[in-house]
Amino acid sequence: IHSHDWLAGRAASLLSEKLGCPHLATIHTLTELQRQAVGLPGNLPVHAGQVQLEKELCSSPDAIITVSRDMAKKIRALAAPGKTPRIEVIPNGVTADSPEMPRPIKSNFLRQEFAPQKEPLVLFMGRLAPQKGVEFLLASSFMVRKSRPDTRWIIAGDHVASHMMRPQYEQVLQQGGFRDHVHFVGEIPHRDVIAYYRAADCLVVPSLFEGCPYVVLEAMRNGIPIVASDLPCFREILTDRETALLVPCEELNGTRGPDVNLLARAQLEILDNSCLANSLTTAAAQVVREEYPLARQLERTLKAYTQAADMQFAATDARQREAGDSGIRLGQGSA
């Protein structure tokens, strides 16, 4: 039985017990626990229920796949004493397309639509969920425009919670006095993702917490320089000033996220320094090809399945042998 994150964990544990099958869980993040750790609100009963399920998932499976060493450390800290499952750290992987591939035709149309005068173009790609830190990026945009007033931002993505976040985004934009430089394009078809990466000059990942986000790996593969929050999970993938610019975090209105001033400075550094941008993308492309191929992720996941099954078979054999030995002893005693 393979469950994915907290919502399916308890059901998988019950099925595992009933059917006698091993339970292998994948944990990308412990969303509610991490939300509260960075200061995002979580006082509703539904949040308390999710916290309980996330804690259970750290102990109940026979084995856990997680996507970073940082997340593995958090899982071990939350597991019940003596009940830590075997944990396999298997980062996400992507196919090894080359950033030297010709820019998709749609990228040229996107440049014409959002930057017709060759204005600098900054991209956010992801769910509009609270932990993605979009409001930090929006706040930084006004500081960037003091030096580069023609810069534009594309916010690509959507989320079930976006209706709750949009008023917060609008408030940030209103405080800045204008908003024509920011384009919310909503959810985009997967076939167009590469075109957006290759149309933009810089990708910003201002997350408050993450596991091993595909957006970073995809950007590394597609040759767009990255500015990201300086999080432990990102430091496992990225090296500051070698493959990306990492921005230290601080508190803003009670929430811990990337320092807005430094976030703006990092964007400007990439937009103003093509040599730096090129060196970052060249090094990042090499790292993603060597360290994060999809084939390796699949191979290691299959191995985790095999190990879980082998452990189950070994435990069953041991119980059967023990039962057989007990039967022999009982027979000898009766004789």
Side-chain angles (χ1 to χ4, degrees):
I1 309 295
H2 186 179
S3 67
H4 194 92
D5 282 326
W6 64 273
L7 194 59
R10 184 176 290 179
S13 292
L14 292 171
L15 282 170
S16 172
E17 183 177 351
K18 185 174 182 62
L19 300 176
C21 298
H23 172 198
L24 180 66
T26 291
I27 299 178
H28 283 265
T29 59
L30 296 164
T31 305
E32 193 56 42
L33 286 163
Q34 291 179 269
R35 275 169 46 88
Q36 295 183 18
V38 298
L40 292 172
N43 300 319
L44 299 176
V46 66
H47 295 135
Q50 182 172 335
V51 165
Q52 180 59 35
L53 290 172
E54 288 177 349
K55 288 181 177 179
E56 284 182 14
L57 192 58
C58 294
S59 303
S60 58
D62 298 288
I64 291 174
I65 293 174
T66 192
V67 292
S68 69
R69 296 188 298 275
D70 177 60
M71 187 54 55
K73 180 180 178 181
K74 289 179 170 62
I75 293 167
R76 291 189 182 99
L78 289 165
K83 292 188 175 182
T84 304
R86 189 180 78 257
I87 300 175
E88 302 285 347
V89 177
I90 305 177
N92 293 326
V94 291
T95 53
D97 294 342
S98 170
E100 286 78 29
M101 290 174 61
R103 174 183 286 182
I105 294 176
K106 187 173 178 63
S107 294
N108 297 324
F109 288 110
L110 291 172
R111 290 292 308 190
Q112 283 296 316
E113 180 178 359
F114 297 110
Q117 304 301 319
K118 298 185 178 181
E119 299 93 338
L121 197 56
V122 178
L123 175 67
F124 168 88
M125 180 81 73
R127 295 176 294 121
L128 300 187
Q131 64 265 29
K132 296 300 182 178
V134 174
E135 65 274 23
F136 290 82
L137 174 58
L138 297 178
S140 75
S141 71
F142 297 101
M143 300 176 188
V144 172
R145 283 174 62 88
K146 290 179 181 178
S147 297
R148 299 291 296 267
D150 57 342
T151 307
R152 302 286 185 268
W153 283 259
I154 297 175
I155 310 297
D158 208 341
H159 186 251
V160 67
S162 62
H163 69 284
M164 295 186 292
M165 298 307 301
R166 284 299 291 269
Q168 185 173 348
Y169 301 156
E170 293 296 337
Q171 182 179 7
V172 173
L173 292 171
Q174 289 172 8
Q175 288 172 348
F178 51 90
R179 56 153 299 155
D180 291 345
H181 62 293
V182 177
H183 304 276
F184 287 88
V185 298
E187 185 175 356
I188 60 175
H190 187 71
R191 64 180 180 273
D192 292 338
V193 167
I194 291 177
Y196 276 86
Y197 285 132
R198 297 189 179 174
D201 300 299
C202 175
L203 175 80
V204 181
V205 190
S207 301
L208 313 187
F209 61 86
E210 286 287 357
C212 177
Y214 277 106
V215 65
V216 168
L217 302 180
E218 291 172 348
M220 294 169 74
R221 180 187 65 183
N222 284 290
I224 177 173
I226 301 167
V227 172
S229 306
D230 190 3
L231 302 177
C233 61
F234 284 162
R235 289 197 293 272
E236 294 181 32
I237 308 170
L238 303 167
T239 302
D240 188 31
R241 307 200 71 80
E242 291 185 17
T243 56
L245 298 185
L246 299 180
V247 178
C249 294
E250 67 165 11
E251 284 198 4
L252 176 66
N253 299 325
T255 302
R256 186 167 182 78
D259 181 296
V260 172
N261 289 294
L262 296 179
L263 190 63
R265 188 182 304 172
Q267 292 170 74
L268 283 170
E269 191 169 1
I270 284 179
L271 296 177
D272 291 340
N273 189 338
S274 60
C275 291
L276 172 64
N278 290 334
S279 70
L280 294 176
T281 56
T282 300
Q286 181 176 350
V287 168
V288 80
R289 284 195 300 268
E290 294 178 355
E291 303 295 331
Y292 299 95
L294 179 60
R296 183 179 301 174
Q297 179 193 14
L298 299 177
E299 179 182 345
R300 294 180 65 185
T301 301
L302 179 58
K303 184 177 179 181
Y305 285 157
T306 303
Q307 288 176 337
D310 288 346
M311 288 179 64
Q312 180 77 12
F313 292 144
T316 301
D317 288 345
R319 286 195 299 268
Q320 290 174 346
R321 286 195 300 271
E322 184 178 350
D325 292 344
S326 298
I328 291 172
R329 289 194 296 271
L330 285 172
Q332 290 172 343
S334 300

